[in-house]
């Protein structure tokens, strides 16, 4: 029998980024229904931005600028992207709107894009966050028309007579139906429908009529003079789209091992609701099967989930927040910079001989008990320009983090750290931990967070 508190912790890990220090007392007293209501409550949307409000020239025009002007634009965009990254991470850690940020994190990986232009980066992230709990149709249309996505998938090169199929293919393969539900002819015809979809430098979608192919297309069995909007609607008419999205959400929120009967049921509900994301989440998080033992502690935390969870439990002042970029890079998950259009991997892909050791050492490193003994590899395509940013490339081994231990110890007073921090009993007994920590509550907390079981949610 799964206790109410274990259910509450399970929900906090899947609907958010884990229990915060302030939630410890209330989670022990609340019913699972009360906890879910606190997560499900819709809150006002607050966009993420960067401090600078000036705009840059379109990146297509960079070739016309001199070397000095080009370098200034690139450096400014790198710094802004770092700021957006850290603001997104801060929202994951501190926002009461945990469900929105968790789903934004999911959609951020699902609709993966990577661009240098920080105006585009902020725009697509906010479109994702704004629509994260709304209707999938609205989200799909917003992302498909986002300059970041159109740029990343080369649709600005998609013109009448010379169609570029990249955007159309990925919309079907990765964002909606998945492989096996369309043909190469469908890809070519969809690409024709998307001709002329472009953007301006202020991150505004534009339809360039002179580049659009208005001719007849045959797409997924339908014939017409389709444009991109109509193609997206035809895709949404396919039950395969609802199932593809539902299955991916099931792997993210429930279990990497998909229960096909449950996914079939959920995807039909999702389709019949007109793609209501919030309603789908409600079905998942209020179902008894979600809280079955096989689903609790069954997932390996992604690097961002691990970092955000530690920061929620150990409130800290960070002297140089930019150094968190280094940890994202070392662990293999850099916000705004997915490895490719398929997004990040999941499950055991996060664990190898080097990352596992670092993941288990982070609580000790951040609390000042041990130094960071690794350095990020220099790869400017993946590190947001770290090798050109002295502030990040120097001094990151000194974390300059101060944990509010008085508040932490007060919240943990009289409680076993393993009971609060782990979903499963640790691989060794409590007395061993007490002896190892020598009665030091801080050490008990840090060592519990350094256990292999803490890597699971």
């Amino acid at each position: 029998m799964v206790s109410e508190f274990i259910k509450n912790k399970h929900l906090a890990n899947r609907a958010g980024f884990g229990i915060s220090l302030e939630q410890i007392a209330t989670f022990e007293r609340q019913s699972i229904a009360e906890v879910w209501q606190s997560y499900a409550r819709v809150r006002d949307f607050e966009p993420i931005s960067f401090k600078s409000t000036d705009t840059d020239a379109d990146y297509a025009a960079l070739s016309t600028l001199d070397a000095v002007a080009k370098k200034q634009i690139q450096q400014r965009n790198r710094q802004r992207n770092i700021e957006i990254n850290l603001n997104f991470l801060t929202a994951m850690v501190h926002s009461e709107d945990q469900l929105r940020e968790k789903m934004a994190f999911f959609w951020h990986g699902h609709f993966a894009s990577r661009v240098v232009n920080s105006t585009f980066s902020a725009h697509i992230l906010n479109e994702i966050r704004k629509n994260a709990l709304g209707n999938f149709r609205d989200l799909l249309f917003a992302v498909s028309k986002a300059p970041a996505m159109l740029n990343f998938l080369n649709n600005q090169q998609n013109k009448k007579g010379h169609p570029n199929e990249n955007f159309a293919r990925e919309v079907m393969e990765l964002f909606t139906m998945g492989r096996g539900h369309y043909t190469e002819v469908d890809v070519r015809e969809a690409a024709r429908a998307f001709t002329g979809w472009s953007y301006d430098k202020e991150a505004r979608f534009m339809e360039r009529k002179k580049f659009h192919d208005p001719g007849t297309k045959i797409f997924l069995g339908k014939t017409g003079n389709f444009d991109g909007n109509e193609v997206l609607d035809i895709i949404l008419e396919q039950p395969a789209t609802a199932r593809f999205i539902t299955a991916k959400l099931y792997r993210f929120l429930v279990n990497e091992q998909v229960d096909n009967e449950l996914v079939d049921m959920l995807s039909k509900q999702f389709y019949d609701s007109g793609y209501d994301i919030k309603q789908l989440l409600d079905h998942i998080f209020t179902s008894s099967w979600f809280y079955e033992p096989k689903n609790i502690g069954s997932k390996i935390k992604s690097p961002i989930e691990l970092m955000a969870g530690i920061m929620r439990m150990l409130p800290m002042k960070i002297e140089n927040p930019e150094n968190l970029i280094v940890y994202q890079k070392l662990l293999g998950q850099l916000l705004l910079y997915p490895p490719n259009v398929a997004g990040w991997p999941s499950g055991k892909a996060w664990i190898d001989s080097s990352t596992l050791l670092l993941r288990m050492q982070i609580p000790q490193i951040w609390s000042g008990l041990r130094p960071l003994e690794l350095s990020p590899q220099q790869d400017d395509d993946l590190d947001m320009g770290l090798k050109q940013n002295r502030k990040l490339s120097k001094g990151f081994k000194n974390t300059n983090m101060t944990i509010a231990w008085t508040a932490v110890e007060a919240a943990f007073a009289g409680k076993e750290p393993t009971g609060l921090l782990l979903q499963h009993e640790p691989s060794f007994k409590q007395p061993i931990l007490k002896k190892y920590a020598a009665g030091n509550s801080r050490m008990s907390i840090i060592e519990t967070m350094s256990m292999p079981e803490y890597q699971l949610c």
Side-chain angles (χ1 to χ4, degrees):
M1 184 70 176
V2 178
S3 72
E4 202 79 347
F5 185 49
I6 291 177
K7 290 180 181 179
N8 291 343
K9 290 191 295 180
H10 180 52
L11 180 60
N13 277 313
R14 301 298 175 84
F17 295 90
I19 300 176
S20 70
L21 194 66
E22 294 77 12
Q23 288 175 308
I24 288 178
T26 57
F27 264 49
E28 290 182 304
R29 299 192 303 267
Q30 288 180 305
S31 68
I32 190 64
E34 290 173 320
V35 174
W36 167 239
Q37 284 306 309
S38 70
Y39 279 86
R41 183 164 64 87
V42 177
R43 295 167 175 85
D44 292 337
F45 170 68
E46 297 182 6
I48 283 172
S49 62
F50 44 76
K51 293 177 182 177
S52 175
T53 57
D54 58 312
T55 58
D56 288 330
D58 191 330
Y59 260 69
L62 275 181
S63 59
T64 67
L65 302 176
D66 62 46
V68 174
K70 186 184 298 185
K71 184 175 182 180
Q72 288 176 341
I73 289 176
Q74 292 172 335
Q75 289 177 338
R76 186 159 63 247
N77 274 278
R78 287 190 185 101
Q79 191 57 45
R80 286 174 178 170
N81 276 325
I82 288 171
E83 187 177 350
I84 297 166
N85 173 304
L86 295 174
N87 287 345
F88 189 20
L89 180 59
T90 297
M92 295 179 197
V93 174
H94 297 292
S95 174
E96 291 184 8
D97 210 351
Q98 282 286 291
L99 184 62
R100 180 189 297 278
E101 301 305 338
K102 187 61 175 280
M103 288 305 298
F105 175 60
F106 168 78
W107 295 123
H108 171 59
H110 178 76
F111 292 109
S113 66
R114 190 174 79 200
V115 293
V116 179
N117 189 312
S118 54
T119 300
F120 291 3
S121 296
H123 173 262
I124 194 171
L125 177 59
N126 283 321
E127 287 297 317
I128 287 171
R129 293 176 64 248
K130 180 172 65 177
N131 294 285
L133 300 176
N135 187 281
F136 181 71
R137 181 185 187 276
D138 296 338
L139 176 60
L140 175 63
F141 271 70
V143 170
S144 296
K145 294 182 177 182
M149 188 61 72
L150 293 170
N151 175 278
F152 186 51
L153 297 181
N154 312 115
N155 206 71
Q156 75 276 19
Q157 301 169 14
N158 188 15
K159 302 174 183 178
K160 178 182 177 180
H162 301 280
N164 184 300
E165 298 177 1
N166 197 24
F167 176 77
R169 183 182 302 279
E170 304 305 358
V171 164
M172 289 187 282
E173 178 180 332
L174 297 175
F175 301 162
T176 55
M177 295 183 291
R179 290 183 180 178
H181 298 284
Y182 58 88
T183 67
E184 287 301 308
V185 172
D186 292 321
V187 173
R188 290 196 294 271
E189 297 293 85
R192 291 177 58 212
F194 288 121
T195 51
W197 276 29
S198 191
Y199 53 86
D200 63 19
K201 65 183 180 181
E202 275 80 36
R204 293 181 301 210
F205 172 73
M206 293 178 61
E207 291 186 80
R208 301 183 186 275
K209 298 295 186 182
K210 66 178 181 180
F211 295 140
H212 177 64
D213 182 345
T216 300
K217 295 103 180 166
I218 302 174
F219 178 67
L220 293 178
K222 293 195 172 187
T223 303
N225 299 328
F226 303 133
D227 62 12
N229 294 306
E230 291 165 313
V231 161
L232 291 180
D233 275 330
I234 293 171
I235 289 173
L236 290 166
E237 290 172 5
Q238 313 304 309
T241 297
R243 198 186 191 286
F244 180 79
I245 299 301
T246 302
K248 190 166 183 178
L249 270 169
Y250 186 94
R251 290 192 293 271
F252 179 72
L253 296 172
V254 184
N255 200 307
E256 292 275 349
Q257 304 301 314
V258 171
D259 184 316
N260 287 315
E261 289 186 8
L262 286 176
V263 169
D264 287 342
M265 176 193 69
L266 290 168
S267 64
K268 185 178 186 306
Q269 293 171 338
F270 190 37
Y271 185 82
D272 291 344
S273 74
Y275 291 96
D276 187 319
I277 299 169
K278 182 70 162 24
Q279 188 177 119
L280 175 59
L281 298 180
D282 188 73
H283 287 316
I284 292 173
F285 291 128
T286 60
S287 296
S288 58
W289 48 259
F290 176 74
Y291 300 95
E292 291 177 356
K294 67 179 180 180
N295 295 324
I296 296 176
S298 64
K299 285 176 53 64
I300 297 172
K301 296 175 184 176
S302 72
I304 294 297
E305 289 172 317
L306 178 67
M307 290 175 61
I310 294 172
M311 294 166 73
R312 280 177 64 75
M313 187 56 72
L314 300 180
M316 59 185 71
K317 179 181 179 182
I318 306 175
E319 192 69 29
N320 299 312
E322 295 86 355
N323 289 341
L324 293 173
I325 298 291
V326 175
Y327 286 93
Q328 292 180 40
K329 186 170 183 242
L330 286 170
L331 293 171
Q333 190 171 36
L334 192 59
L335 292 172
L336 307 184
Y337 271 58
N340 51 56
V341 70
W344 289 282
S346 61
K348 294 181 181 178
W350 291 125
I351 301 296
D352 60 33
S353 58
S354 61
T355 59
L356 178 58
L357 182 61
L358 176 60
R359 287 167 67 107
M360 294 173 65
Q361 289 179 347
I362 281 181
Q364 300 169 352
I365 295 170
W366 287 4
S367 59
L369 295 176
R370 68 183 308 148
L372 173 61
E373 297 171 344
L374 298 173
S375 298
Q377 294 180 353
Q378 299 296 344
D379 183 350
D380 199 48
D381 185 49
L382 296 175
D383 65 9
M384 304 171 76
L386 284 176
K387 72 180 182 182
Q388 297 186 34
N389 192 317
R390 294 181 180 179
K391 189 174 183 180
L392 294 180
S393 62
K394 292 185 178 181
F396 65 85
K397 290 179 182 288
N398 182 2
T399 56
N400 290 319
M401 298 177 178
T402 305
I403 297 173
W405 278 115
T406 301
V408 173
E409 290 173 325
F412 275 82
K415 300 177 177 66
E416 288 287 353
T418 54
L420 287 171
L421 298 172
L422 308 180
Q423 288 286 22
H424 293 301
E425 281 295 311
S427 51
F428 55 84
K429 300 298 182 181
Q430 291 278 2
I432 299 177
L433 174 62
K434 289 181 178 179
K435 181 178 179 181
Y436 183 65
N440 186 317
S441 60
R442 298 183 185 184
M443 283 296 298
S444 295
I445 294 166
I446 293 301
E447 294 306 325
T448 298
M449 298 176 90
S450 302
M451 291 180 180
E453 289 82 3
Y454 188 72
Q455 304 296 316
L456 303 174
C457 66

